[in-house]
Amino acid sequence: MLNPQCRRLVKRTQIVASALAAVLATPMATLLAAPSAPTQGAADTFKAGTTYIEKIPETSVSFEMVAIPGGKLTMGSAATSLGAGEPGRREDEGPQVQVELAPFWISKHEVTWDEFDEYAFAQGAKGLRTVDSGAGDTDAISRPSRPYGDEARGFAKGQQPAIAMTHHAAMEYCRWLSEVTGKAYRLATEAEWEYAARAGDTSAAPKGLGEHAWFEENANGRPQPVGDKAPNAWQLHDMLGNVAEWVLDQYDAERYEELSVLPQPLERPVLVPDDRRYPHVVRGGSYLDGAEEVRYAARLASSEEWSASDPQQPQSIWWHPDESFVGLRIVRAAEEQPELRAIRSKVTKDSM
């Protein structure tokens, strides 16, 4: 026979065990379907749904990061029995694969010109070399060379999304930002991007696309200031439309086909980019695209045509003079996967 003190201890243990079992039995889909409203949190303490403000040192510029919970994702789009699938679907979006992701922070908005200019053009910007030269030859971080013409393409700057930078420049921006803030920022992997964009939505695009995205039908032929449209369920703005966004991965049209034969779910998949200038993956569609291109699963590959009018030999590794619709968004892993620790672009002036 147990004494009263022992009975209370046994009862308390049973309650704790029951609560833990309930948490473990909760389907991840349930957790994804009911995101909580973000609250302000500490930058170094991860709690899903919280946010923190990062101020770029020695500037008045800041941006907001949102904590995204880990979970599972059905990535890509499916073909129907008739071979079509969702409107606008292309073959490189499938077959669908099952993915499992760890928690990470992602920027609430696309990177603006206010932010990118502190890296690209600010005089004496912290952590930068002061001469233009190809990155990859030393560990120093270089600033972009001056582009031909207006890098903003006449769309103004400030809170407009930064555009026209190459994948190399986008990765170098993240490396610079990591250097000056002391936190490891990078581009999202393709899987992280789609997971964050969907925020639990399993359809092709959000209902009422025009409430969430700038695209061909409502953008008046230009990108718009970030954050003017309604956010998704995880309070992220402009994940679809406005400007398309660089992600980390090298582009491979057969990527999903190759992943589909591996054991599922795939843990944090990424195709780490090599030293080739092209192709890399762009996601989300842009202000130039029709609604069928502004979908969670839509993929686009960068190409040499984006720099066709660049007269330099070799051409710039920093700017695409014939592209005005691609920008970037940044992430920060709660715990970085080994192959992405201290990642940097391998592209140099000699890259093909």
Side-chain angles (χ1 to χ4, degrees), residues 199-215:
D201 189 352
T202 57
S203 55
K207 293 179 180 178
L209 181 62
E211 298 176 8
H212 294 272
W214 296 106
F215 55 110

Side-chain angles (χ1 to χ4, degrees), residues 93 215 224 267 308:
E93 298 172 18
F215 55 110
Q224 303 291 328
E267 187 175 348

Side-chain angles (χ1 to χ4, degrees), residues 39-47 50-55 63 65 67 104-105 181 183-185 332-334:
T39 56
Q40 195 76 32
D44 294 321
T45 304
F46 188 93
K47 182 180 179 183
T50 60
T51 70
Y52 72 87
I53 304 294
E54 183 77 271
K55 182 176 179 294
F63 56 89
M65 300 292 291
F104 59 95
W105 284 272
T181 63
K183 302 183 184 74
Y185 291 107
R332 177 186 168 213

Side-chain angles (χ1 to χ4, degrees), residues 155-197:
F155 298 137
K157 289 196 163 182
Q159 288 300 293
Q160 288 283 137
I163 55 173
M165 77 293 290
T166 63
H167 187 267
H168 169 75
M171 287 191 69
E172 283 293 278
Y173 170 78
C174 295
R175 199 160 71 94
W176 169 78
L177 190 63
S178 302
E179 174 76 17
V180 298
T181 63
K183 302 183 184 74
Y185 291 107
R186 58 168 170 78
L187 298 177
T189 67
E190 197 169 3
E192 288 170 339
W193 186 94
E194 184 169 332
Y195 179 66

